[in-house]
């Protein structure tokens, strides 16, 4: 998901990940959020996405190391192992929808990136 604005009524449990500048544009990092491996991606200068980091086909925690790109107007990451593409907004695996991953809410506030502990989908 794209970065969300801070809201004082926000009931989500947020985990602080790192400084915004710790994630170079068009790259990802892995973080432990509520005992789950989550891949956090920065696209361009100010858009952030978070999906499961575990590649469903291999079971390896590697999606944060994949290459970010665009396919048919969708922002995707290509798994470094099997090259499947995962939509960063929806988690859908374009080649094998049954291997789709969950997405997480992510926000950048005051120079820090945070991820919600519960998956969106």
């Amino acid at each position: 998901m794209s970065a969300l604005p801070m809201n004082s009524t926000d009931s989500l449990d947020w985990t602080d990940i790192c400084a915004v500048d710790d994630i170079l544009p068009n790259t990802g990092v892995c973080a432990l959020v509520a005992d789950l491996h989550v891949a956090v991606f920065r696209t361009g200068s100010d858009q952030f996405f978070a999906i499961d980091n575990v590649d469903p086909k291999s079971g390896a925690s590697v999606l944060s190391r994949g290459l970010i790109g665009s396919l048919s107007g969708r922002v995707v990451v290509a798994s470094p192992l099997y090259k499947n593409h995962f939509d960063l907004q929806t988690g859908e695996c374009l080649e094998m929808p049954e291997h789709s991953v969950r997405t997480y809410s992510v926000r950048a506030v005051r120079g820090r990136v945070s991820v919600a502990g519960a998956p969106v989908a």
Side-chain angles (χ1 to χ4, degrees):
M1 294 223 128
S2 302
L4 299 173
M6 188 167 189
N7 183 340
S8 61
T9 63
D10 196 354
S11 62
L12 295 175
D13 184 23
W14 294 94
T15 298
D16 181 65
I17 303 301
C18 62
V20 166
D21 292 337
D22 288 341
I23 308 175
L24 297 174
N26 301 313
T27 66
V29 298
C30 180
L32 191 61
V33 177
D35 293 325
L36 299 170
H37 291 216
V38 176
V40 182
F41 298 95
R42 180 179 182 184
T43 61
S45 61
D46 64 354
Q47 253 195 329
F48 294 86
F49 301 91
I51 62 172
D52 285 328
N53 192 48
V54 176
D55 181 318
K57 189 168 182 181
S58 69
S61 189
V62 296
L63 293 182
S64 64
R65 295 176 183 229
L67 295 175
I68 296 173
S70 177
L71 285 176
S72 302
R74 299 166 107 177
V75 179
V76 299
V77 64
S79 171
L81 296 177
Y82 291 103
K83 311 305 182 228
N84 289 336
H85 296 91
F86 297 89
D87 184 311
L88 291 181
Q89 286 191 313
T90 66
E92 179 184 5
C93 178
L94 303 185
E95 293 79 12
M96 304 173 78
E98 67 274 14
H99 285 229
S100 296
V101 296
R102 297 174 295 187
T103 61
Y104 298 81
S105 294
V106 60
R107 67 182 182 186
V109 177
R110 292 189 287 279
R112 301 291 299 175
V113 178
S114 301
V115 174
V120 174

